[in-house]
Amino acid sequence: MAPRTDSALSCRARALLRVVAAGRAEITCSSEPDMFVDGVACCDQYTAHALAHRGLIVPTGPAGLGKRVRARLTPAGAAVLGGLGEAA
């Protein structure tokens, strides 16, 4: 599935993208990746799942099922932030 790069994201989704861009987020390696910010579970896992499924964030590398790894923006995720005039 090709990532969607439209800018129709909620304020919370854009905030989570900025957190990932700042290097403060981890995600679990699973089909429904959970996000952790500064080591604490994100309060909106639905949005975290949506960002992953849209191809805007990915793990930095492979890990065991359910293990946490640092999250990073994909080029599509960076483009969404850049297209909104926000610093990535």
Side-chain angles (χ1 to χ4, degrees):
M1 176 192 316
R4 292 174 50 189
T5 58
D6 61 316
S7 60
L9 294 175
S10 69
C11 291
R12 185 174 294 178
R14 291 190 310 267
L16 288 178
L17 288 176
R18 288 191 301 272
V19 165
V20 171
R24 297 175 45 212
E26 295 176 305
I27 58 176
T28 58
C29 294
S30 67
S31 61
E32 292 293 339
D34 292 328
M35 182 181 285
F36 295 80
V37 178
D38 297 332
V40 178
C42 175
C43 68
D44 188 354
Q45 294 298 341
Y46 176 81
T47 298
H49 296 166
L51 293 174
H53 290 298
R54 289 176 71 170
L56 302 177
I57 61 172
V58 294
T60 55
L65 185 61
K67 299 294 183 186
R68 291 189 209 177
V69 295
R70 187 155 315 276
R72 71 169 175 83
L73 292 179
T74 63
V80 167
L81 278 184
L84 296 170
E86 299 172 15

